[in-house]
Amino acid sequence: AQKVTQAQTEISVVEKEDVTLDCVYETRDTTYYLFWYKQPPSGELVFLIRRNSFDEQNEISGRYSWNFQKSTSSFNFTITASQVVDSAVYFCALSEAERYSGAGSYQLTFGKGTKLSVIP
Amino acid sequence: ETGVTQSPTHLIKTRGQQVTLRCSSQSGHNTVSWYQQALGQGPQFIFQYYREEENGRGNFPPRFSGLQFPNYSSELNVNALELDDSALYLCASSLAGGSVKNIQYFGAGTRLSVL
């Protein structure tokens, strides 16, 4: 069974500080995808990034960076120079490999989320 | 490009009633998934629809059912509502096939309160 653990329930940082959100996952699949989503107070989950299990390269997008380490089953997310607009709940998610040909049946297994508050 | 839209945004029902939630998928998407998010928790997968058929189901009882229409919009129906059904219900659309397969885009959800 798949499982995603986000051990940090809530984090508070002062604006311009760097912050890292931790994500540890469990799966028996060899092919899988990892995701990060942001959920602002409006409720909509905003897609941030997807990685597949064969691509362990770290990725940087502006102030965001992601560190994928298969050896430790972790996919951590760092925000550099945090801003008040970064305040939200962040979810890490895992999806298994395609089981059904064509349709790509999959489901996202989410962690419980980390609530980030950036204080001005 | 039109995003995922859900209606209604809020709903209040009493225990034992039935409810229907609606979702319009993002333009060009052919797959719809539904998730339940209890307060303070991560979303939990209910089921997915592709080509108007259920294409995967999470650990939810049969009183949770759905439909997908030819225009790829979808409904989530819940019968015999229980207090524990109070949650934010999220719809996500995606495109089966292609390089962007497996990325699900979410609507803002329907917040259901069962009294």
Side-chain angles (χ1 to χ4, degrees):
Chain A
Q2 300 180 112
K3 185 179 179 182
V4 176
T5 301
Q6 295 179 255
Q8 304 150 310
T9 306
E10 293 193 41
I11 300 176
S12 289
V13 298
V14 176
E15 201 171 18
K16 297 184 182 176
E17 285 184 345
D18 299 347
V19 59
T20 295
L21 310 181
D22 298 332
C23 173
V24 174
Y25 63 91
E26 295 175 30
T27 179
R28 285 179 286 189
D29 289 356
T30 54
T31 304
Y32 51 89
Y33 293 94
L34 294 164
F35 301 79
W36 277 94
Y37 283 87
K38 173 182 179 180
Q39 188 175 42
S42 61
E44 179 178 349
L45 283 166
V46 178
F47 167 76
L48 296 177
I49 189 171
R50 176 191 68 175
R51 301 298 275 177
N52 72 52
S53 52
F54 298 111
D55 184 0
E56 288 192 69
Q57 282 190 341
N58 292 333
E59 181 155 339
I60 298 174
S61 176
R63 296 185 297 107
Y64 296 169
S65 62
W66 291 269
N67 182 1
F68 176 27
Q69 292 196 342
K70 223 168 170 178
S71 60
T72 56
S73 297
S74 65
F75 185 43
N76 297 336
F77 173 30
T78 297
I79 302 174
T80 303
S82 60
Q83 300 177 1
V84 173
V85 293
D86 296 327
S87 297
V89 181
Y90 290 85
F91 290 96
C92 179
L94 168 70
S95 75
E96 59 191 352
E98 175 181 346
R99 269 200 240 159
Y100 299 96
S101 126
S105 174
Y106 54 85
Q107 66 186 67
L108 288 172
T109 298
F110 285 87
K112 291 188 175 182
T114 297
K115 182 178 180 181
L116 174 65
S117 298
V118 181
I119 303 164
Chain B
E1 187 177 88
T2 307
V4 179
T5 57
Q6 292 187 242
S7 62
T9 52
H10 294 85
L11 206 48
I12 299 174
K13 292 286 188 178
T14 56
R15 198 169 44 181
Q17 284 188 314
Q18 178 266 343
V19 68
T20 297
L21 310 181
R22 295 179 175 81
C23 172
S24 293
S25 58
Q26 183 168 314
S27 176
H29 287 181
N30 54 17
T31 303
V32 173
S33 304
W34 286 91
Y35 292 81
Q36 180 196 66
Q37 186 179 14
L39 202 59
Q41 302 294 314
Q44 287 202 315
F45 176 73
I46 304 174
F47 43 55
Q48 181 183 94
Y49 278 82
Y50 172 69
R51 291 184 175 173
E52 302 177 48
E53 291 190 1
E54 188 177 291
N55 190 44
R57 188 178 185 95
N59 190 25
F60 281 82
R63 57 189 187 85
F64 285 78
S65 63
L67 286 172
Q68 186 181 32
F69 300 99
N71 66 355
Y72 306 125
S73 65
S74 176
E75 285 182 356
L76 164 66
N77 298 291
V78 187
N79 292 324
L81 283 167
E82 301 177 0
L83 297 179
D84 284 349
D85 295 333
S86 296
L88 180 67
Y89 288 85
L90 293 161
C91 168
S93 73
S94 54
L95 178 62
S99 62
V100 294
K101 181 178 178 179
N102 215 24
I103 297 177
Q104 296 184 29
Y105 295 90
F106 286 80
T110 295
R111 186 160 297 284
L112 173 65
S113 299
V114 182
L115 306 178

